[in-house]
Amino acid sequence: MAQGIRNLLGLRELSLDEIVEILDTARSFREVLERPIKKVPTLQGTTVVNLFFESSTRTRISFELAERRLSADVVNFAASGSSVSKGETLKDTARNIEAMKTDVTVIRHSSTGAPHFLSRFLKSPVINAGDGINEHPTQGLLDMYTIREKFGELKGLNVCIVGDITHSRVARSNIFGLTKSGANVAVCGPKTLIPDYLQQLGVRVFYDIDAAIQWADVLNVLRIQMEREAGGDFPSIREYRLYWGINRSRLERIKKPVVIMHPGPINRGVELDADIADGDTSLILDQVTNGVAVRMAVLFLTGVKPS
Ligand code: CP
């Protein structure tokens, strides 16, 4: 990115060197977050717009904290209460905000490709904070950072992504990033929630959750996305939990440690039981903490400059 990639649209578009550069830079910013004063002047004088057209807790607050920790000025946009409700287009909204001399746009949108579309019209960098079912690159990067922090390296590790792969932008970003990094990547879930194209990406597919747990060093467990119609792809939540839910009895059957991750928000008692989410093998809150450092690194390396 320091070599000239202006936008962060997805991990599919990044080279391994660029991914490693972000993860290494994030390590320096992670140290900043342990200081009594968690702030550096890196982005003083720049203005970042967080353009969120879809609900978010972690990503929106994490970006805002990352921006403030870098001393940027921050503008938060929410579609409700804006002129979007009067019919203003995404392009007009973003260009009008940029005309107020903002320097970078972070966008989350329910439409796949919305950040790519904006990057064609905006003069300043665009960072994808999640677009439809395409990618969530900073989530993929923070997951990779967290795994690397735990195991020392990604190469050769067995990482299994469990659940609703079809509707998951988190799964896609993890798959692009982890396979480039030399990790062995698998997915596991109901046939109806696993797309056909995965084997072309070098991803192993399990339909038996116990076999997947036996294989994995890391389970990255995904939320069942009712808002994206996943609920119609299996008979009931009760059945999903029975066949695919991660719980203590399943984990105790195997005789090796498995680390548990989840991008959040968790449906406790559906894809993941509460005692496992909060247990010793869970890295879920580490993921959230590391997310701020990763987003600081992305903002820094995107080369944001005051206009
Ligand atoms: N992981 C994630 O994207 O969470 P939010 O939807 O709360 O931002």
Side-chain angles (χ1 to χ4, degrees):
M1 292 174 92
Q3 284 83 42
I5 289 185
R6 227 168 62 95
N7 307 302
L8 177 63
L9 300 178
L11 297 195
R12 183 168 48 181
E13 289 90 346
L14 292 191
S15 67
L16 176 58
D17 285 349
E18 287 162 341
I19 289 171
V20 170
E21 187 180 15
I22 295 171
L23 300 183
D24 289 347
T25 306
R27 195 161 43 197
S28 312
F29 286 123
R30 183 69 185 77
E31 285 163 25
V32 172
L33 299 180
E34 296 302 324
R35 295 179 191 165
I37 297 172
K38 303 169 183 58
K39 201 158 179 154
V40 287
T42 315
L43 292 190
Q44 212 158 40
T46 64
T47 304
V48 185
V49 182
N50 298 315
L51 207 56
F52 276 65
F53 288 85
E54 201 190 69
S55 306
S56 170
T57 298
R58 275 147 295 271
T59 311
R60 198 191 64 71
I61 292 175
S62 181
F63 264 111
E64 183 171 346
L65 278 173
E67 293 148 10
R68 293 190 188 283
R69 304 279 190 236
L70 292 169
S71 304
D73 296 319
V74 179
V75 179
N76 288 314
F77 167 95
S80 64
S82 77
S83 290
V84 169
S85 59
K86 300 175 191 166
E88 188 166 50
T89 64
L90 170 62
K91 178 179 169 184
D92 280 341
T93 299
R95 291 188 74 209
N96 275 267
I97 293 171
E98 190 186 45
M100 297 180 215
K101 300 294 179 193
T102 59
D103 302 302
V104 60
T105 301
V106 177
I107 176 171
R108 168 171 287 197
H109 203 286
S110 56
S111 294
T112 288
H116 309 67
F117 172 75
L118 276 195
S119 71
R120 289 166 39 207
F121 302 107
L122 296 185
K123 299 184 190 89
S124 53
V126 175
I127 298 175
N128 182 358
D131 66 318
I133 59 170
N134 177 40
E135 281 216 48
H136 190 347
T138 56
Q139 181 71 46
L141 289 164
L142 75 87
D143 290 345
M144 292 170 71
Y145 182 97
T146 304
I147 298 170
R148 199 177 79 161
E149 184 180 57
K150 172 76 183 171
F151 291 94
E153 64 175 338
L154 294 163
K155 198 169 165 49
L157 273 180
N158 290 352
V159 180
C160 185
I161 306 165
V162 180
D164 178 3
I165 310 300
T166 298
H167 300 94
S168 176
R169 55 197 178 204
V170 174
R172 284 171 57 84
S173 286
N174 266 271
I175 287 166
F176 292 129
L178 286 166
T179 52
K180 283 177 190 178
S181 304
N184 305 310
V185 183
V187 298
C188 180
K191 270 198 171 108
T192 47
L193 291 177
I194 295 184
D196 291 337
Y197 63 79
L198 284 185
Q199 275 160 357
Q200 293 158 25
L201 299 179
V203 173
R204 183 169 175 174
V205 178
F206 287 98
Y207 297 112
D208 175 352
I209 188 67
D210 297 307
I213 296 173
Q214 188 65 52
W215 175 85
D217 300 306
V218 177
L219 291 178
N220 197 350
V221 185
L222 303 178
R223 181 171 67 91
I224 292 300
Q225 303 199 39
M226 294 306 180
E227 75 277 19
R228 296 208 170 94
E229 297 168 8
D233 291 329
F234 54 89
S236 68
I237 290 290
R238 195 165 160 271
E239 187 165 312
Y240 184 88
R241 179 172 193 266
L242 187 67
Y243 285 102
W244 313 103
I246 304 300
N247 56 44
R248 184 160 301 284
S249 66
R250 279 218 153 97
L251 292 173
E252 279 179 355
R253 253 181 262 149
I254 57 159
K255 304 282 180 248
K256 66 179 183 69
V258 178
V259 159
I260 303 296
M261 298 173 64
H262 192 302
I266 304 170
N267 293 313
R268 286 175 179 255
V270 181
E271 69 267 6
L272 186 60
D273 276 8
D275 61 329
I276 304 301
D278 300 332
D280 293 344
T281 58
S282 169
L283 297 181
I284 294 170
L285 291 180
D286 299 281
Q287 290 172 262
V288 178
T289 306
N290 293 336
V292 178
V294 164
R295 290 175 175 121
M296 288 170 82
V298 167
L299 286 157
F300 171 65
L301 291 172
T302 310
V304 182
K305 302 229 170 20
S307 50

